[in-house]
Structure formats: C-alpha cells, structure tokens
Amino acid sequence: PRSVALLQSLRLMRTAVGQWCCCCRHNAVHAAAAGSPGRVLRATNANAAEAARVLREGGVVAVPTDTIYGIAAHAGINDSVSRLWDLKGRPTTLPIAVAVHDVDAIARCARVEHLPQGLLHALLPGPVTVLLPRLEGKSAELASTLNPGVSTIGVRVPHDDFIRVVLAELKAPVALTSANASGASSTLAVDEFEHMWPNLDAVFDGGRIASGRSGSTIVDLTDAKADGTPWNFRVVRDGSALSPTVETVQKYGGVRSHE
C-alpha cells in the first residue's frame, strides 16, 4: 500500500539525516582539533608549544601579558604582521612593539651598544616597553611590513610565564599589540574581546589580569650614553610603571625630558 511505502521513505530520510548530522559533528570536532579560528585554550606551559606552532605557521593569537591581553604575530613574517594591522584596524602610522623572551634577545631586533651596562636588566622583565634604534640589515629579524619607515622599535620582555615560554619555544620576536580595536579600551579578560575571536587562530586564556588598563610604560632610550655622562630620556606613555621606570633610568645617568 502507498501508506507503507511512504512510511518506509520517511524512515530512510530520518536515517540519512541522522548520518549527515553525525558526519557534520565529526567534521566540526576534527576542524577544532586541527586549529579552527576562535578556539580558546588555557594559557598553560603545556599549551605554549601549540601557541608557538600557530605563530610559526603565520597565525595570529591572543595571549595574556603582565599588564593587559595582547594579540601577537610572528614579527618576521610580512603577511602575519599585515594581518595584525588589519585585525586592529590600526593606522600604520602608529607603530607596533615587539616582545622577546629575555633581555639578551633584544639585541636581535634593536641596537643596544649605546646603553649603560645593566640598564635593560634593571628595567626588564616587567611592564615596560623600551624604545630603541631599530636593528637593520641581514641580521635583523623584523618584517619589512612592521612599522615601515620608522627608525626605532619598541621592545618588551613581559613578566608573564606563559608568553615568555611561548617566545622561548618560538625562538623569534613577536609583534604584540593590545587585544582590542584601535582606539577602544584595553582588555583584562578574554570575554572582553570575544568579538575578535573568529578572526584569531587561537585565544589563550590566562584568567583575569590583576592590573589596570593603562598598559606598559613606554620609555625612549634612543639617546642613552654608555660613557657615564648625563643623557636625556623621554616617557612616551605613563603606563602602569611610571615611577619605578623613571627612578631606574635616572640611576643610570638619564635626565628626563618633558618635550
């Protein structure tokens, strides 16, 4: 009878739909495991290798720092740096800083021979960005798309275990900027920039950062002198460590300029 045939057809349709849904669920899980955009992972040392892998392959990730959440890209890959500008909606006239895993690695992207001995180790690791002459030539590790036409580079060594382990694993600097649209408030928790997740290759959640939203203190050390004579320095941004930064630089012969 027609009713029996219709019933059998409906059963076949349900079976096919069920198989299709099962297949879709399998594919979704597989995509997430392979590294789908917007995935959120804990910011643990166990996941540091995964963060380094994504960065090495040209991806962009969100990471906690000692001040605010940031988004990072391999500083030596032109396309990755360009993608960082696009994600931020940031004018290329506003430079982006880089982060390295320890003080000695700063010399791989900036000139440091003019600095008083011990100054960088006195300031870093910590919530400070030091502005230095950019290292040019074959030995430099920075992409040409990173701050084109700018002769200086801001460098950070964050006092945060996760990002420093990632950087040590990567063995290269990252371009690092705050995890928010250009001009918006800085973020202290991953849910505050949830709208950016789909455009990121991974988000590493280190919990809420116990800090203000002012970011790192930026200090210009381009005119520093290693010969013991006084030299001028400038605070570009007050940030979260203004007083200790100024006091430290002054101990090494720096005279603050308010120009």
Side-chain angles (χ1 to χ4, degrees), residues 4 20 28 30 38 57 68 71 78 80 87-88 91 119 137-138 142 151 157 181 183 190 206 214 224 226-227 231 250:
V4 174
W20 182 84
H30 177 74
E57 294 179 0
I68 56 179
I71 51 176
N78 279 316
S80 300
L87 284 173
K88 283 281 293 186
L119 174 58
K138 293 182 179 180
L142 305 180
S151 61
V157 184
V190 296
S214 54
D227 61 5
W231 49 276
Q250 288 175 336

Side-chain angles (χ1 to χ4, degrees), residues 17-27:
V17 169
Q19 291 174 340
W20 182 84
C21 290
C22 180
C23 181
C24 286
R25 287 194 298 270
H26 171 78
N27 288 340

Side-chain angles (χ1 to χ4, degrees), residues 71 83-90 177-182 196:
I71 51 176
R83 187 175 162 202
L84 199 62
W85 292 110
D86 293 339
L87 284 173
K88 283 281 293 186
R90 183 184 180 99
T177 185
S178 56
N180 54 270
S182 184
M196 300 181 76

Side-chain angles (χ1 to χ4, degrees), residues 41-44 63-64 69 160 162 188 190 204-209:
L41 303 172
R42 290 183 62 195
T44 62
V63 292
Y69 271 86
D160 177 87
F162 177 72
L188 301 176
V190 296
F204 291 91
D205 186 358
R208 187 170 186 84
I209 298 173

Side-chain angles (χ1 to χ4, degrees), residues 136-141:
E136 303 289 355
K138 293 182 179 180
S139 59
E141 298 188 3

